[in-house]
Amino acid sequence: MTGRRLQPKIETGDAAGVKMHADQLTVSLETVRGLVDEQFPQWRSLPISSIASQGTVNAIFRIGEEFAARFPLQPREVAATRRWLVSEADAARELLGRTRFPTPEPVARGEPGAGYPLAWSVQTWLPGVVATEEDPGGSVTFAHDLAEFISDVRAIDTRGRRFSGQGRGGELQSHDTWVETCLGRSGGLLDVPRLRRMWAGMRTLPRGAAGDAMTHGDLVPGNVLVSNRHLAGVLDVGGLGPADPAVDLVAAWHLLEAGPRQVLREDLGCDGLEWERGKAWAFEQAIGAVSYYIDSNPAMSRMARRTLERIMADESPA
């Protein structure tokens, strides 16, 4: 281990201590210590620390030097949580070793216990600095790395699977209600009339000839690790699955400035339609985060605002 900070504190948005959702669970260090000691006694001697994160789904705790424990923040049925964690682990195993860039490896699954009502998971800890802290946006080298990772993921066989979820990855028009709700909450924060006009054009973009391909599904700065302007690893891989190939192009606007963004496009060989759909998926992802997280996770809100600014600066179709 080097002397650099590993996945350090984001300037705001400690998921373990800041309420980002109305029904958010509280996960204390003392609770985690008790659960680990009871369910994994082999780790009783390892220190545990809370990790501040821009993430909005899990509270993250580091166990020793090698492991990260992830505790879902929003309540749901125990059985449903357990099924999701199994699905996440399966996805992580499917991606493991398919790219030269490190991704987490599943280690164990914890069960509900004193102070915490849901199943939880443990995976390997990855060194690196999150892209929210070490911004790689101007790095051509990082753009090449990111394009390689996206290509590696796309090369994984879908084994006949197709997109079947409710989130990003199917048809853009299915998100009309969500986008309109978000625009309605964004008065005074964003140029709502302009953004509404932009979505009116984006929502009708057809899929084109390409079928579903494997995608990471959430290439936002908080899920990307950087070291010396290179891609050092990718986190939160549980959403790996078949979807519109353009979904992972959200990274072009979440992570890159104009020059490196064009490098990414050239490396991937994106035609105009795929590129515009990637922009539309980035728009759909960003539009909700600006208002939703403005108080509870300002770093996430600012990231989303920056993404929309990049999209507006690149409004004319390529």
Side-chain angles (χ1 to χ4, degrees), residues 4-14 51-56 58 60 68 70 102 104 123 125-137 142 216 218-236 254-255 297 299-300 303 306:
R4 298 185 64 186
R5 289 176 296 166
L6 304 182
Q7 294 169 242
K9 182 174 181 178
I10 309 300
E11 53 189 308
T12 54
D14 181 350
I51 302 300
S53 167
Q54 191 182 335
T56 62
N58 297 287
I60 310 296
R70 293 155 51 88
Q123 61 187 28
W125 175 270
L126 299 185
V129 180
V130 286
T132 45
E133 180 106 346
E134 185 175 312
D135 184 4
F142 179 84
H216 174 278
D218 197 20
L219 288 176
V220 296
N223 289 335
V224 172
L225 299 176
V226 182
S227 179
N228 297 320
R229 310 295 277 177
H230 280 272
L231 178 61
V234 179
L235 305 171
D236 206 7
H254 289 326
L255 286 156
N297 193 336
M300 176 69 81
M303 182 278 292
R306 183 182 65 176

Side-chain angles (χ1 to χ4, degrees), residues 107-130:
V107 175
R109 189 176 72 247
E111 293 296 331
Y116 185 73
L118 301 176
W120 47 284
S121 64
V122 181
Q123 61 187 28
T124 52
W125 175 270
L126 299 185
V129 180
V130 286

Side-chain angles (χ1 to χ4, degrees), residues 56-97:
T56 62
V57 177
N58 297 287
I60 310 296
F61 293 81
R62 189 172 183 183
I63 304 174
E65 295 290 314
E66 299 181 18
F67 307 121
R70 293 155 51 88
F71 291 80
L73 285 168
Q74 290 185 279
R76 62 192 306 186
E77 293 182 356
V78 173
T81 302
R82 194 176 288 116
R83 287 193 299 271
W84 168 243
L85 293 179
V86 170
S87 174
E88 278 192 320
D90 289 344
R93 292 187 187 98
E94 186 171 8
L95 180 58
L96 196 65

